[in-house]
């Protein structure tokens, strides 16, 4: 089983959300369809998947999630730029 650390953002890339999951497609779908009412991503309409990393061990994924959450905005932007220069919604590439 694979584990994922991911970054979502808003339509205009104003706010970020960093998360962890063992099913990136399902979890992104949940964010996009606002299935967790009242959550941070629901309140701020954070639905665009712009970055992710894949891990085989959940411990490394969780540690990486914590690390990225601690990053300043500029460092998160640099991460996304390295993987997804156009800031495309990667969810549409997965379905």
């Amino acid at each position: 089983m694979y584990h994922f650390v991911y970054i979502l953002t808003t339509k205009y890339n104003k706010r970020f959300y960093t998360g962890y999951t063992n099913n990136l497609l399902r979890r992104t779908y949940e964010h996009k369809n606002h299935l967790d009412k009242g959550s941070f991503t629901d309140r701020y309409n954070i639905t665009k998947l712009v970055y992710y990393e894949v891990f085989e061990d959940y411990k490394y994924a969780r540690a990486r999630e914590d690390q990225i959450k601690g990053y300043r905005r500029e460092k998160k932007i640099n991460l996304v730029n390295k993987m997804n220069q156009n800031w495309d919604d990667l969810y549409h590439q997965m379905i």
Side-chain angles (χ1 to χ4, degrees):
M1 175 180 287
Y2 292 106
H3 305 273
F4 304 86
V5 174
Y6 61 93
I7 298 176
L8 299 174
T9 190
T10 59
K11 181 177 180 179
Y12 298 107
N13 309 322
K14 297 296 181 189
R15 290 186 188 264
F16 293 108
Y17 173 82
T18 303
Y20 155 85
T21 186
N22 62 6
N23 187 328
L24 186 59
L25 192 60
R26 174 191 49 81
R27 189 66 180 122
T28 306
Y29 175 87
E30 292 170 354
H31 288 298
K32 287 185 165 301
N33 291 282
H34 302 274
L35 298 183
D36 190 7
K37 298 295 181 198
S39 68
F40 181 79
T41 57
D42 179 45
R43 284 187 312 233
Y44 294 102
N45 200 29
I46 301 173
T47 60
K48 187 168 73 167
L49 177 67
V50 291
Y51 179 85
Y52 66 90
E53 294 179 21
V54 183
F55 298 86
E56 290 187 13
D57 188 324
Y58 81 93
K59 293 175 192 168
Y60 294 116
R62 296 303 295 250
R64 181 65 169 150
E65 176 194 27
D66 289 340
Q67 182 181 41
I68 292 173
K69 281 184 174 183
Y71 285 174
R72 292 177 162 245
R73 178 178 180 79
E74 180 180 334
K75 198 162 184 177
K76 290 178 186 178
I77 289 170
N78 289 337
L79 269 181
V80 174
N81 281 333
K82 285 180 185 176
M83 176 186 201
N84 183 4
Q85 192 172 13
N86 295 325
W87 290 65
D88 296 323
D89 190 342
L90 301 175
Y91 176 78
H92 299 294
Q93 297 173 9
M94 295 186 321
I95 55 173

